[in-house]
Amino acid sequence: MTVTVVEAPERPAHRDPNVLRWLGAYTASMVGDSIYFMALAWAAARTGSASGTGLVLAAGSIPRALLMLGGGVLADRLGPRRVVIGSDAARAVLVLGLAAILVLTAPTVGVLVAVALLFGAVDALFLPAVGALPPRISPPGQLARIQGLRGLAARGASIVGAPLGGVAVATGGPVLAFATAGALFALSLPLLLGLRIRPLPAPVKHGGTVAGDHEERTVTEEKPTARRDLVDGLRYIRRHPLLGPLMIVIGLSELGFVGPLNLGLILLSEQRGWGAAGMGWIVAGFASGAAGAALLIAVRGRVPRAGLVMCLTVLVGATGIAAVAQIPSVPLAAATAAVVGLFIGLAGALCGALVQTVADPAYLGRVTSVSTLFTYALIPLSYPATGAAIALWGTGPVYAVSAAVCAAGGAVGLTFTALRRAELPR
């Protein structure tokens, strides 16, 4: 008699307690981030030095850029959960300690710069590790949904964190805001400790080699070092038929998108006389479109021809970026921004899901550190060039060039057959 074993269907990510614990911890950390940065800006402003304020706000990006790749190595060596727990614990201690210092004395540029540097260093460990966790807590078929849920959490954290930080600063000054942020970082710890981690798949040995998903690595008796692990990770990305092209798409699309959104929009609003309120409506348009894309992925769970759709949505979003600078009214600009947010947000969610699906879990911390490096460390360095270019040529030409760079990401992606045919697991 033949016995047929029927596998239980995967539990949807939004109904999986393990995923929800991770999502709760991630949301608490993101809200804490929003409150921390608002409190840091206000505390820096209270020092009375404009140059000092700029120095404080820029300080965190330096260790973030220098240490991000090392953070990926650490996540792969120790496991992403350990690194995320350690990072959130360190951030809680650091920010709560700063709140205690400010109870006793007025903020100084030196103290705030030191905290910003330490916070940026911890962030360089946190970001690759938190991005490497989803494949360790859920089956591959749910990774796209998790990317959608993560996008919703990030948008929700921005919506909730800024007003909450403003209320805290207005009520109790930066001290209360820092204390609130530290408490939220601490809140994530019990949720992270409760995560059930899936074991890494065992490598397949063939004679003297170990076969990974897309490459073979020679087995040696040498003790691995952090430098060797980093080089090995970069080589793995370069040789991978999908990860290399995906990193090109991420780098170009982020370079063309982030500058116009973060810095260019401020200058565009000033030139058009839209003011802070007009800029707020346009930013809300971007956010609502991106939230819609995240919701779509979270509900649907899978998009056919994910690689092709990702590249095409980048191209459509890039067209909208160029259009924003040519629109004369705030309502139409906000509507266009919503379309841009929808398509770029969908591209980002699909890109993240593809990265996490195709990468060998043993390399995922390093892979995530490279993709995160573009967004959180290298792209902000383009802000001075963006500002100088707008001062010389105006917003229209700069937005057009930015849109072309963003579109180049999608166009280059289409030239790779493996990426065009890439699919998410069912």
Side-chain angles (χ1 to χ4, degrees):
M1 182 177 68
T2 302
V3 178
T4 302
V5 178
V6 180
E7 294 185 2
E10 291 181 357
R11 178 178 292 177
H14 61 280
R15 295 179 182 175
D16 186 339
N18 207 38
V19 173
L20 293 179
R21 281 191 287 270
W22 171 83
L23 186 65
Y26 178 74
T27 303
S29 290
M30 291 297 99
V31 175
D33 263 348
S34 295
I35 297 173
Y36 161 78
F37 285 113
M38 174 167 282
L40 187 69
W42 276 97
R46 289 191 175 185
T47 64
S49 168
S51 59
T53 300
L55 180 62
V56 170
L57 297 181
S61 63
I62 299 172
R64 199 177 289 118
L66 294 176
L67 302 177
M68 187 76 75
L69 296 179
V73 171
L74 194 65
D76 286 337
R77 281 195 158 202
L78 302 181
R81 185 181 69 157
R82 290 181 181 178
V83 176
V84 171
I85 289 172
S87 301
D88 267 349
R91 295 199 294 180
V93 171
L94 178 64
V95 176
L96 290 173
L98 178 59
I101 290 173
L102 296 185
V103 169
L104 303 175
T105 183
T108 64
V109 171
V111 169
L112 296 178
V113 166
V115 170
L117 289 170
L118 290 172
F119 194 93
V122 176
D123 249 6
L125 307 182
F126 172 82
L127 291 168
V130 78
L133 263 177
R136 304 292 300 276
I137 62 174
S138 182
Q142 296 302 313
L143 290 178
R145 278 199 173 96
I146 292 179
Q147 288 302 304
L149 293 172
R150 182 181 180 184
L152 286 173
R155 298 300 168 186
S158 298
I159 293 170
V160 172
L164 186 58
V167 170
V169 170
T171 304
V175 171
L176 180 59
F178 282 126
T180 304
L184 286 166
F185 294 138
L187 177 64
S188 72
L189 298 177
L191 296 171
L192 293 168
L193 289 168
L195 288 180
R196 299 189 307 274
I197 300 298
R198 299 162 65 91
L200 286 173
V204 180
K205 296 184 180 181
H206 299 288
T209 63
V210 175
D213 282 354
H214 299 280
E215 69 170 338
E216 292 189 344
R217 292 176 287 119
T218 303
V219 179
T220 67
E221 299 299 325
E222 296 181 19
K223 184 177 180 181
T225 64
R227 182 181 180 277
R228 187 174 294 118
D229 282 351
L230 177 57
V231 172
D232 189 30
L234 296 175
R235 185 182 297 117
Y236 172 73
I237 294 172
R238 180 174 58 84
R239 293 178 177 177
H240 197 288
L242 280 178
L243 290 176
L246 281 169
M247 295 303 140
I248 296 173
V249 174
I250 292 171
L252 290 174
S253 58
E254 288 286 342
L255 182 61
F257 174 71
V258 175
L261 177 62
N262 289 350
L263 177 62
L265 192 55
I266 297 173
L267 301 177
L268 178 65
S269 298
E270 287 183 352
Q271 289 183 7
R272 296 291 173 83
W274 291 342
M279 188 186 74
W281 281 110
I282 298 172
V283 171
F286 279 115
S288 62
L295 181 61
L296 175 65
I297 293 294
V299 172
R300 187 175 178 86
R302 184 179 183 275
V303 174
R305 304 293 298 274
L308 177 62
V309 172
M310 180 199 72
C311 295
L312 293 177
T313 51
V314 169
L315 291 173
V316 176
T319 303
I321 291 173
V324 168
Q326 306 301 325
I327 293 173
S329 69
V330 169
L332 190 55
T336 305
V339 174
V340 174
L342 176 65
F343 282 92
I344 295 295
L346 183 58
L350 291 174
C351 189
L354 284 170
V355 167
Q356 296 196 339
T357 298
V358 303
D360 183 335
Y363 286 91
L364 194 52
R366 283 163 284 182
V367 172
T368 305
S369 71
V370 173
S371 62
T372 307
L373 183 69
F374 290 115
T375 305
Y376 290 93
L378 298 183
I379 300 302
L381 299 179
S382 69
Y383 291 169
T386 301
I390 290 176
L392 286 174
W393 299 299
T395 52
V398 172
Y399 266 70
V401 171
S402 296
V405 172
C406 184
V412 170
L414 290 173
T415 66
F416 293 94
T417 302
L419 183 53
R420 287 199 313 271
R421 297 177 178 176
E423 295 277 9
L424 293 173
R426 295 184 181 275

